[in-house]
Structures are given as structure tokens and as C-alpha cells.
Amino acid sequence: SHAHTSPATDPTKVGFSTVDQAYVTAAENSIANRVDEILRSGHWRPARLRFTTTTCDCGMNRRCRIWWPKGSRLRRIVSLHPNPAGPRDRELRLLRVEDEAGRLLSVIWGVSCHPTEWPQIRELSSDYPGSVRQALRARLGPELPVLFLQGFCGDLRPPATGRWVRTGPWKRRLLVFVSSLVNGPYFTGFTPEKYHAWVEGIATCAQRGADEAANSPPLVPKLTLHRTTVALSELGLSGETLCLAV
């Protein structure tokens, strides 16, 4: 997963904040050391999995055909623009991990939406995944491991729409306003109040999913293997074939 206001870790990404290599190294070492500690401990125990899905319509499609000036004429282009009628994933998925006695060990959850709308753009933030983690821990236990898996959200982002952009050069803000009169509202960003209300909605869905998962039947382990070959040209890539095993 990722958040647009998390510390940068990739120096090849131009236009983002400066990478603090000391932070990157510390994060890498922390993860590696913890994994090594777990593997060496040998404290393995059986676990049960309970899974549920619940409605969580928190995202909006961000690909839309709009009118845009090109030369002396207006033309239709595909742009990063709110598309309320566009396809989107409206489900939150949650996996409950518990021991054989039914004690909760961890929660894995996910929705399909970019974490892009933390309103304080000059502050570091884990955005909505961090806020939902806090809400789940408040309900289920303060030290509970909570893992967020971001779904298929390439064209999905928070529905922070309006006709006036809150930040940026005034010429761009004026252009967005004039264009919105023709094309409808733009992605303009949340106010802090609207952001927190939006996050609370997701947290409520996640807490509901956690309650529903607790009453769901345990998953029955079943592994199916399948191997296939796909021509890379079918994926728009160069090369010969790609072998997949599932």
C-alpha cells in the first residue's frame, strides 16, 4: 500500500519529498529484524481464518471524458476528472485471524481507494489506513496487529469534489472553476471536517466487518494449483510469454 503523505522512500520519483535514507534504512532493518526474530523463534501455532465483505462505497472513479480547449476549439479528452457513474469497487474485505481457542490474533482488511486526500499537505500522515487501524484497535484491542491491503484502485480516489480548488496558483484555480461550469465538479480536496467525516465512514464499515467476521464460519483450507501461459503482447508488454502459477 501507500499514502501520498507518507515519507518518501524512492529517490527515482521526481516531484515528491526528499528521501531520508536514514529513515529508509531504519524501516528496512526494523522489518527484516522482526521477520528474522519470528522465523528463529519457532513459536508456530495453528490459526483459523474468518472472512467477510461489507459495503463501503468510499471511492469515486477518476477517469472521465470532458471538454477541453485545444487550439481554437473545444475537444473531448479523457482526463483525471470525477466520474460518479464510472465503475468502482464498493466492498470492504476483512480477514479475521484467530487461534484455535478463538482468541483474535490479527485483522487484515482492504478497500479500493487511493489514500490521497489528507488535507494537511505539509504534514506526514498514514491517511485513512492509519485512522481505520486506530478505530479497529479501539474496538478490538490496543496492540492488535492490523494489516491494510489496498485493492484495485488505479482509477479510484476519495470523492473530494467541488468547483473551487483549495490550494495552488490562482490561475489554475480560476481555470478549474471555469471548466467546472462546463464539465461539472472537479477533484478539489477535502476540508479537514469533510475528510474526518469521510474517514469515520470507512472506520464504521471496517468495525462492522470485524463484527460480522467474528460470526462467520471458519474458512476451509483448499489449495488449487493452475498453470497457464500468456503472451506479453496481450498485456501491452514486449517480450515472449509470461508463466503464471496460481
Side-chain angles (χ1 to χ4, degrees), residues 18-200:
T18 303
V19 174
D20 184 341
Q21 191 56 49
Y23 165 79
V24 175
T25 301
E28 291 173 346
N29 290 340
S30 177
I31 295 170
N33 291 339
R34 182 55 179 153
V35 171
D36 182 67
E37 178 184 335
I38 293 172
L39 293 176
R40 290 178 182 275
S41 70
H43 293 161
W44 306 103
R45 49 180 163 168
R48 291 190 309 217
L49 304 178
R50 300 181 189 271
F51 177 76
T52 192
T53 63
T54 189
T55 301
C56 187
D57 194 5
C58 61
M60 179 179 288
N61 192 290
R62 66 178 186 180
R63 285 289 188 275
C64 188
R65 292 179 64 84
I66 66 172
W67 292 102
W68 196 255
K70 189 172 183 180
S72 60
R73 301 178 59 184
L74 287 176
R75 298 185 182 275
R76 297 279 276 178
I77 65 169
V78 176
S79 177
L80 282 172
H81 190 87
N83 184 4
R88 61 184 185 272
D89 186 350
R90 294 176 168 87
E91 287 191 334
L92 180 147
R93 297 163 179 84
L94 188 140
L95 187 69
R96 176 186 171 96
V97 184
E98 55 187 46
D99 63 18
E100 291 183 302
R103 289 186 291 267
L104 183 60
L105 300 177
S106 66
V107 164
I108 304 172
W109 74 284
V111 291
S112 297
C113 184
H114 276 285
T116 63
E117 292 298 342
W118 174 249
Q120 308 299 336
I121 61 174
R122 296 189 181 277
E123 295 181 3
L124 294 177
S125 169
S126 55
D127 211 299
Y128 76 82
S131 298
V132 174
R133 177 181 59 198
Q134 291 178 345
L136 287 171
R137 286 177 172 173
R139 174 73 65 90
L140 303 172
E143 301 298 325
L144 180 71
V146 177
L147 176 63
F148 172 71
L149 299 179
Q150 190 164 288
F152 292 97
C153 64
D155 282 333
L156 301 179
R157 62 178 290 176
T161 62
R163 296 187 184 276
W164 185 251
V165 179
R166 297 176 55 242
T167 59
W170 70 267
K171 289 184 179 180
R172 177 180 177 276
R173 298 167 73 184
L174 182 61
L175 177 62
V176 167
F177 174 74
V178 173
S179 179
S180 73
L181 301 178
V182 177
N183 297 306
Y186 267 66
F187 288 114
T188 53
F190 282 129
T191 63
E193 295 76 19
K194 289 184 176 180
Y195 171 82
H196 290 299
W198 175 73
V199 170
E200 286 177 8

